[in-house]
């Protein structure tokens, strides 16, 4: 069961719901359809959600650019965290990840491949998020800045290291800066029991969080 953070008001800005999901014990290779939490499903309800869904065998998938004004649900890896205490905001740079909505029974899965970056603003500070963890963001795309979409977050689900793994579908068309950090490809990107070395070989070393 995901652990939800407290949601206090801070300087008039109410922090959004953030849930931290964990894997369960590995009991063999079985797959399920993705199941949103109650809070996640509630966040998805208003209006039409455009999401990151990509067919497993597809060579292309949807991207976030050109979706200003639309509510979306999108997966990605947090590459940078910037906390602006003066503005009382938390800002994320996220590497978008393809997601076919199929997961292993014990662990979250997304593709190792990407179609670019996007930025996210969360109202308030003090979120328990770490660089290179996986998130699923629900919110509104407000604009594109130099082909990098910006999302005003309404809900965020987080998986830290040890609680998600990778597959190898979709066209690898993301930020070359992140791709250069990847040491493995193909079937080797997956593990049912990932450790720190697993993530470092696929995402790079975990940077220190900016204060």
């Amino acid at each position: 069961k995901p652990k939800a953070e407290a949601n206090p008001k801070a300087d008039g800005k109410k922090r959004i719901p953030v849930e931290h999901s964990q894997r369960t014990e590995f009991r063999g290779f079985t797959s399920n359809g993705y199941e949103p939490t109650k809070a996640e499903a509630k966040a998805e309800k208003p209006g039409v959600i455009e999401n990151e869904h990509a067919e497993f065998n597809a060579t292309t998938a949807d991207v976030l650019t050109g979706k200003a004004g639309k509510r979306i649900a999108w997966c990605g890896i947090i590459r940078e965290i910037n906390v602006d205490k003066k503005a009382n905001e938390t800002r994320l740079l996220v590497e978008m990840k393809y997601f076919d909505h199929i997961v292993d029974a014990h662990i979250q899965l997304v593709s190792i491949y990407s179609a670019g970056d996007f930025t996210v603003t969360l109202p308030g500070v003090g979120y328990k998020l770490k660089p290179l963890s996986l998130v699923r963001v629900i919110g509104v795309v407000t604009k594109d800045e130099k082909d990098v979409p910006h999302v005003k977050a309404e809900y965020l689900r987080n998986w830290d290291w040890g609680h998600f793994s990778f597959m190898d579908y979709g066209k690898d068309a993301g930020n070359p800066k992140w791709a250069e950090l990847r040491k493995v490809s193909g079937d080797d990107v997956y593990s049912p029991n990932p450790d720190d070395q697993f993530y470092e070989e696929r995402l790079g070393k975990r940077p220190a969080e900016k204060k």
Side-chain angles (χ1 to χ4, degrees):
K1 184 178 180 181
K3 296 180 180 179
E5 288 189 10
N7 193 22
K9 286 186 177 180
D11 297 334
K13 290 185 178 180
K14 188 176 182 181
R15 289 174 21 171
I16 66 168
V18 171
E19 295 187 289
H20 299 274
S21 294
Q22 299 182 347
R23 57 171 290 179
T24 58
E25 183 181 353
F26 177 59
R27 298 180 182 276
F29 292 97
T30 57
S31 299
N32 299 326
Y34 179 75
E35 294 185 7
T37 68
K38 288 184 179 180
E40 188 176 8
K42 182 179 179 181
E44 287 183 336
K45 275 188 175 181
V48 176
I49 291 285
E50 296 211 9
N51 65 42
E52 67 289 278
H53 190 275
E55 295 299 329
F56 181 83
N57 60 357
T59 57
T60 60
D62 204 0
V63 296
L64 267 177
T65 51
K67 296 188 184 300
K70 295 185 177 180
R71 298 187 69 254
I72 57 88
W74 227 268
C75 283
I77 297 294
I78 298 176
R79 286 296 180 175
E80 295 177 7
I81 300 175
N82 293 285
V83 176
D84 188 335
K85 294 183 178 179
K86 185 176 181 180
N88 192 30
E89 289 182 341
T90 301
R91 298 164 186 162
L92 310 177
L93 174 64
V94 179
E95 178 192 8
M96 171 268 192
K97 291 296 186 183
Y98 302 120
F99 180 34
D100 66 357
H101 288 205
I102 302 297
V103 301
D104 279 359
H106 74 292
I107 198 167
Q108 175 69 15
L109 295 176
V110 293
S111 176
I112 191 69
Y113 301 130
S114 169
D117 297 341
F118 63 100
T119 58
V120 180
T121 298
L122 293 77
V125 300
Y127 293 97
K128 298 176 182 178
L129 299 171
K130 296 180 181 179
L132 302 189
S133 61
L134 173 68
V135 291
R136 187 168 190 253
V137 179
I138 295 175
V140 176
V141 181
T142 59
K143 58 185 175 181
D144 289 356
E145 295 180 340
K146 297 180 180 179
D147 294 326
V148 178
H150 178 262
V151 178
K152 183 179 180 181
E154 300 172 5
Y155 167 91
L156 189 146
R157 186 172 180 178
N158 177 246
W159 295 264
D160 199 4
W161 283 16
H163 305 297
F164 67 95
S165 191
F166 293 108
M167 299 296 286
D168 66 331
Y169 55 89
K171 184 180 180 180
D172 191 7
N175 190 331
K177 180 179 179 180
W178 314 134
E180 289 175 0
L181 300 173
R182 197 184 308 144
K183 308 302 181 185
V184 296
S185 60
D187 291 342
D188 292 337
V189 301
Y190 174 81
S191 172
N193 294 298
D195 56 14
D196 285 2
Q197 182 179 350
F198 168 90
Y199 295 104
E200 290 175 356
E201 290 177 345
R202 290 150 184 80
L203 301 174
K205 295 281 187 179
R206 184 169 246 173
E209 182 180 346
K210 294 181 181 180
K211 303 296 183 181

